[in-house]
Amino acid sequence: MSLVLEPKAIKAAVRKLTFRTQAFIDGKFVSAKSGRTFPTENPATGKPLAQIAACDAVDVDRAVKAARKAFESGAWSRMKPGDRKKILLKFADLLEANAGELALLDTLEAGKPIGDCATMDIPDTIHCIRWHAEAIDKLYGHVSPTGPENLALVLREPVGVVGCVVPWNFPAQMVAWKIGPALATGNSVVLKPAELTSLSAIRMAELAAEAGVPTGVFNVVPGFGETAGRAIGRHMDVDMVAFTGSTEVGRYFLKYSADSNLKRITLECGGKSPQVVFADAPDLDMVATNAVSAGFWNMGENCSCGSRLIVHKSVKDELVTKIAKLAKTWKVGDPLDPQNRLGSMIEKPHLEKVLGYIESGKAEGARLVMGGKRVMEKTGGYFVEVTIFDEVTPQMKIAREEIFGPVLSVIPFSTEEQALAIANDTNYGLAASLYTRDLNTAHRAARAIRAGTVSVNCFSEGDITTPFGGYRQSGFGGRDKSIWAHEQYTELKTIWMQLA
Ligand code: NAD
């Protein structure tokens, strides 16, 4: 289904939607063995959308067995890379043919603006699958520089059965970041979507099967973290877990691995990304545009959200005025209305958490420039205003903890040394932006900031060709996106031959 981004057409498309709500295991839709389901809700209305299969350890085990059987059969793991490529390209084509539906599913379940889902999330999801598919028949192994009496081949082989556990903030896209490289390299996958956003992942599994991904290679087990997620983490026959979510839950996976079979773990976790604006920033209007996107895009429910704006005191007041003016044009409202730049928070407890941070900012003495309140309560949805605090100090809670809401903290500085110290004064290290006209400052600061991605004179996570992941407690064990992602889903194999 293609989608016209116009309110009437969107409403008509929503009326036509049907939801896949069961698990997808061994090529079939199935209910949880227990028969249990849980409600998924539209956070923009507070109303239930559907009942989803509540998978637990029994269902995870069923999915792992199917994935293992498929892996051992070689139907996918030993398929010629060129043939795997064709199937994954067909999968990307089917995602494209159903892009409108996928965009609506993510908007309805996550409260994300339809404009973002239709023009960013789903196109990026498709591009990610296509990019990894296109790469697989262009990668070579190595021959080691041994003596003439030996031949040593260094090859990459799929890890085996990969568990993927993903968050709710970019539902379809996070699935693609994991399964793109995992499937491209020949693994079988058991994926658990976040319990708040299961619908697009289940539909993606159906489309993968339609494209020809063999039975059992891509399974989806919706359910809760403490049941289905934990069962994946502790399963003795899962070779690897690729996780994206909070640092707190990421830690559990390291424990699960240690307590079970030492499965490989990769973690993409939280962030508290700095945006450093030097006195010689090239153009404050450009900086304001980027700072607003960095702070408020996806309602701030974004791991690389530039939530700390560290600004030289000589330009701070002018920049804050520009940002506040621009931020007023970012309308909060019904995520199905393409005019709106911000939808709702993901759920009521999260809304309350964000409002709690806003209260702590006020209590600790930060100056509230704009916003700060829940809005549109009558809709039943969990909307919060775009919020800016000035005169924030690095010790305040709002400057230290990941808020995951549309709350920007402005922290002034006087010297470069001070700016970099503030930027690095965090447990996280996912992303950063810096703004300067001086190439030397740009290089110096980009190297000094401890983060996986540093953008200069823009706010960007790079594109599919660049690795994405974090230093320190923002990540562990690997990177998403780019050709480097293939490394984490493969084992290195040495074949050492004695020549006569
Ligand atoms: P979360 O950690 O609460 O949940 C993530 C996943 O883990 C979900 O599928 C959840 O069901 C599962 N889970 C929860 N408890 C579990 C447990 N005890 N055992 C096993 N699995 C469990 O995160 P979230 O709230 O869904 O997402 C927000 C977080 O994700 C933020 O911290 C954000 O920064 C992070 N994130 C990071 C990236 C990145 O690339 N670094 C991208 C997007 C989001």
Side-chain angles (χ1 to χ4, degrees), residues 3 96 99 139 161 198 289 291 324 360 367 383 421 484:
L3 189 65
E96 194 153 21
L139 296 173
V161 174
S198 313
T289 303
S360 95
R367 184 172 73 81
F383 299 89
W484 283 274

Side-chain angles (χ1 to χ4, degrees), residues 166-169 192 195 225 244-246 256 269-270 303 402 404 468:
V166 292
W168 45 260
N169 58 342
K192 191 198 90 61
E195 52 273 32
T244 294
S246 60
Y256 296 152
C269 300
C303 53
E402 185 181 45
F404 233 52
F468 186 76

